[in-house]
Amino acid sequence: MKDFEFHRPSTIAEAVALLKAKPEAKLLSGGQSLLPVLKLELAEPTDLISLAGIKELKDIRVDGDRIIIGALVTHAEVNESADVKKHIPALATLAGWIGDGQVRNRGTIGGSVAHADPAADYPAALVALGATIATDRRKIPVDDFFKGLFETALERDEIVTAIHIPKPKRAGYEKFAHRASKFALVGVMVAETANGIRVAVTGAGPTVFRVPAMEAALTKKFAADSLAGITVPAADLMSDTEASADYRSHLIGVMAKRAVQSALA
């Protein structure tokens, strides 16, 4: 790990100003994504800008038909939130399945979303739920946010401030986890929202994606058996030492059916 200057701004404006002034700087929230990258010297920032001192990024609140989760809210706090459990229980369950206790108590939803790991859990939930990513300067619909492998619509000096999530009519999440990291080899979120059925998959490709055929089938009948015979081509999926593309294709179908059953429970 290379030497760097450490900064701890107390406002979003201060953090943005530092990012603009330090072109090789990196933001630090919970550190569960960034620190492993630094240890492997895959990034060598001149400056680290900690967001930990910005209090306005740490709350969860209900605002009409949606829940707003601050970027610095930890996975454990999402999992334990009474508001999340009441209005989006599938999201609380998902957060409780991330990593281990240490990761859940340090990692943040904003850091995870900005990092855009292809096997992270939150992207499937946010895409299925039709969320909006709020930053220091705009609001980005989730369908426009995740662009590819570790790639998002964020500008270099842009900071995620909150996640706006509409309350679904019902939702379910299921995943087949990596044995050590607990990242998703395949994770599927199914949600019935005010704008229709949405099915999102993480862990199987270079970024989160929707499955229109499953969405159409569940719109006709919201039941696990509606997904019989629907597959995602293996040619479009990743293959590694943990799971082949063919196996991931099979897992998508299995996890999607379980997610529907969970949503109906």
Side-chain angles (χ1 to χ4, degrees):
M1 189 182 296
K2 305 298 183 181
D3 289 341
F4 51 79
E5 294 292 324
F6 186 79
H7 308 268
R8 191 181 172 90
S10 59
T11 68
I12 295 172
E14 288 177 17
V16 172
L18 282 166
L19 275 178
K20 291 182 181 295
K22 310 284 186 179
E24 299 301 319
K26 291 286 187 183
L27 292 173
L28 177 68
S29 51
Q32 299 307 295
S33 298
L34 180 59
L35 291 182
V37 171
L38 296 182
K39 289 178 181 179
L40 293 171
E41 297 189 355
L42 296 175
E44 298 180 355
T46 57
D47 300 78
L48 282 188
I49 303 169
S50 171
L51 301 177
I54 305 178
K55 295 180 180 179
E56 63 192 278
L57 302 181
K58 299 181 179 181
D59 66 327
I60 299 175
R61 67 185 188 277
V62 178
D63 184 12
D65 65 350
R66 61 188 53 218
I67 291 180
I68 301 175
I69 303 177
L72 287 189
V73 173
T74 66
H75 313 320
E77 289 167 337
V78 174
N79 172 244
E80 296 165 2
S81 165
D83 286 330
V84 176
K85 288 180 178 179
K86 177 180 178 180
H87 298 292
I88 319 177
L91 182 63
T93 297
L94 176 152
W97 288 345
I98 295 174
D100 54 27
Q102 290 177 309
V103 169
R104 289 191 293 275
N105 278 286
R106 291 296 304 171
T108 65
I109 188 170
S112 176
V113 168
H115 189 57
D117 191 299
D121 296 284
Y122 283 127
L126 301 189
V127 169
L129 293 166
T132 298
I133 315 302
T135 76
D136 61 284
R137 67 201 64 174
R138 57 178 172 156
K139 292 181 179 178
I140 309 171
V142 72
D143 288 336
D144 299 327
F145 185 81
F146 295 105
K147 296 295 187 181
L149 185 67
F150 298 107
E151 182 184 2
T152 71
L154 293 171
E155 300 293 337
R156 189 202 65 79
D157 59 353
E158 191 169 10
I159 299 175
V160 173
T161 57
I163 316 296
H164 295 237
I165 310 174
K167 301 173 187 175
K169 296 178 181 178
R170 52 190 169 186
Y173 180 70
E174 293 289 339
K175 76 171 177 179
F176 192 90
H178 185 284
R179 290 168 292 180
S181 69
K182 308 307 179 186
F183 275 110
L185 292 180
V186 165
V188 181
M189 175 72 98
V190 174
E192 183 177 1
T193 74
N195 296 315
I197 305 293
R198 293 168 67 96
V199 178
V201 178
T202 192
T207 190
V208 61
F209 61 89
R210 291 171 62 183
V211 188
M214 290 185 176
E215 293 174 349
L218 292 172
T219 298
K220 294 177 181 177
K221 179 185 176 183
F222 196 87
D225 59 13
S226 296
L227 302 180
I230 299 176
T231 60
V232 175
D236 299 332
L237 305 178
M238 295 191 301
S239 183
D240 55 30
T241 56
E242 289 295 322
S244 67
D246 285 332
Y247 189 50
R248 280 188 164 93
S249 176
H250 170 72
L251 283 176
I252 291 172
V254 174
M255 294 301 112
K257 291 175 182 176
R258 291 181 182 178
V260 172
Q261 292 169 339
S262 177
L264 291 169

